[in-house]
Amino acid sequence: MDIKEFLDYLKKGKRLYGTAVLSPSPLWPKAIKRAGADFVFIDTEHTPFDRTILAQMCLSYKGYGLPPLVRISSADPHEARRVLDGGASGILVPYIESPEQVRDLVGATKLRPLKGERLREALQKKDSLTPELKDYLKEWNKENFLMINIESVPAIERLDQILAEPGLDGIIIGPHDLSISLGLPEQYHNSRFEDVVGGIISKVREKGLGVGIHFSQEPELQIKWAKAGANIIMHSSDLALFQQRLKDDFTAIRRALTEQVSATSEQDDRSVL
């Protein structure tokens, strides 16, 4: 799936399937493509990628028709520009809590290379751009997309204002941080948590934007929220899937050989991505 098809699916609310990638191995793009993914999620908030490695990863995945969605470490427009310059197709920004943050990030992703006072004027007054410049910027940024993480109570309280900002393409719910902010740590089946997630999905879809939730737990959680309207299926990560499958295989082998299964191997898998 090239970026044009990806954006078409996103705009039409069709389902898109992706996973998080923590390994910079050059062998992963082919493997993930064969697994049936439509895009990849590369996280720089919780993982120590430098700019060179990140750029190599982005260009490799692009070459396999897997648009890379890169989460930057904070709501920093300058960081968003750097990541796009390095080959990212989309930017995901963590812990957004205000429409002003979204506006600045729209400027960085949809109006680049405009900067400084001229950019601030364009964000405040949409008609300040000449038709020629507006067309130029639209063409320059036509293959970029912007998504944000909604993962706190303040973000939920301001969700209507956040979604009203033009230029936003999608929302990814961060279940771990959201559960913490709600005072329900990792209680993903709690009725209050489910009500909040369902409300977010409903509002975002009403706005015609893409929405998803990133889980590394059982696929049933993805199925549940997809049936509730989520169209971005961001499932697990290479690290979590490797750990889960290897743990299951070792457990099966040990049991078949009548060995004791350690308590560690029986623990639930967790991910804060």
Side-chain angles (χ1 to χ4, degrees):
M1 174 177 289
D2 63 20
I3 186 61
K4 291 182 180 179
E5 188 176 6
F6 177 92
L7 293 174
D8 182 63
Y9 269 51
L10 190 62
K11 184 177 180 180
K12 293 178 179 178
K14 294 183 178 180
R15 291 197 184 110
L16 291 159
Y17 294 82
T19 190
V21 179
L22 285 75
S23 170
S25 169
L27 301 178
W28 272 125
K30 186 176 182 180
I32 293 175
K33 180 70 173 181
R34 285 181 169 179
D38 298 316
F39 71 98
V40 292
F41 166 43
I42 304 174
D43 180 53
T44 68
E45 182 187 13
H46 298 296
T47 6
F49 292 127
D50 67 28
R51 290 181 65 186
T52 300
I53 291 175
L54 180 61
Q56 290 170 345
M57 292 174 69
C58 287
L59 294 174
S60 294
Y61 282 105
K62 271 185 171 179
Y64 275 91
L66 294 166
L69 170 63
V70 177
R71 179 161 62 187
I72 56 179
S73 62
S74 64
D76 181 352
H78 300 295
E79 187 178 355
R81 292 188 193 95
R82 286 196 299 268
V83 170
L84 287 171
D85 287 343
S89 295
I91 299 296
L92 176 62
V93 191
Y95 230 85
I96 290 296
E97 295 186 321
S98 75
E100 291 78 15
Q101 289 175 306
V102 176
R103 195 173 308 138
D104 287 342
L105 290 158
V106 168
T109 56
K110 302 298 180 70
L111 296 179
R112 56 193 289 270
L114 207 59
K115 300 183 184 75
E117 291 185 15
R118 190 69 183 86
L119 174 59
R120 287 193 291 274
E121 182 185 17
L123 290 172
Q124 293 168 2
K125 302 176 182 178
K126 299 300 180 183
D127 58 355
S128 67
L129 297 175
T130 64
E132 183 179 4
L133 180 55
K134 186 181 294 185
D135 290 343
Y136 176 87
L137 295 175
K138 183 177 180 180
E139 177 67 20
W140 183 282
N141 297 290
K142 66 181 181 181
E143 295 187 347
N144 299 338
F145 61 95
L146 172 65
M147 296 188 183
I148 61 172
N149 277 139
I150 294 296
E151 44 195 347
S152 72
V153 171
I156 296 166
E157 292 172 345
R158 302 183 188 115
L159 188 57
D160 290 334
Q161 299 97 301
I162 288 171
L163 295 178
E165 286 297 319
L168 186 60
D169 297 298
I171 301 290
I172 302 296
I173 300 167
H176 184 263
D177 282 355
L178 179 59
S179 73
I180 299 296
S181 185
L182 288 167
L184 304 167
E186 299 187 22
Q187 296 179 40
Y188 304 131
H189 297 284
N190 181 285
S191 60
R192 184 179 170 218
F193 177 85
E194 291 184 335
D195 287 345
V196 168
V197 171
I200 295 171
I201 290 174
S202 178
K203 280 192 174 185
V204 176
R205 295 301 294 129
E206 285 176 6
K207 287 290 185 178
L209 302 179
V211 61
I213 184 166
H214 183 209
F215 273 120
S216 292
Q217 285 75 22
E218 62 272 19
E220 286 73 21
L221 283 170
Q222 296 287 3
I223 296 168
K224 173 187 179 68
W225 294 117
K227 287 182 176 180
N231 66 304
I232 302 172
I233 315 300
M234 189 183 287
H235 182 60
S236 200
S237 68
D238 51 0
L239 181 62
L241 292 168
F242 170 81
Q243 176 184 319
Q244 290 162 0
R245 180 55 190 265
L246 187 62
K247 184 189 75 172
D248 290 346
D249 285 357
F250 279 163
T251 298
I253 293 167
R254 286 188 172 105
R255 283 177 174 160
L257 298 174
T258 66
E259 293 183 15
Q260 183 176 0
V261 178
S262 68
T264 301
S265 67
E266 295 284 11
Q267 290 177 354
D268 291 336
D269 301 300
R270 294 181 180 181
S271 173
V272 296
L273 294 184

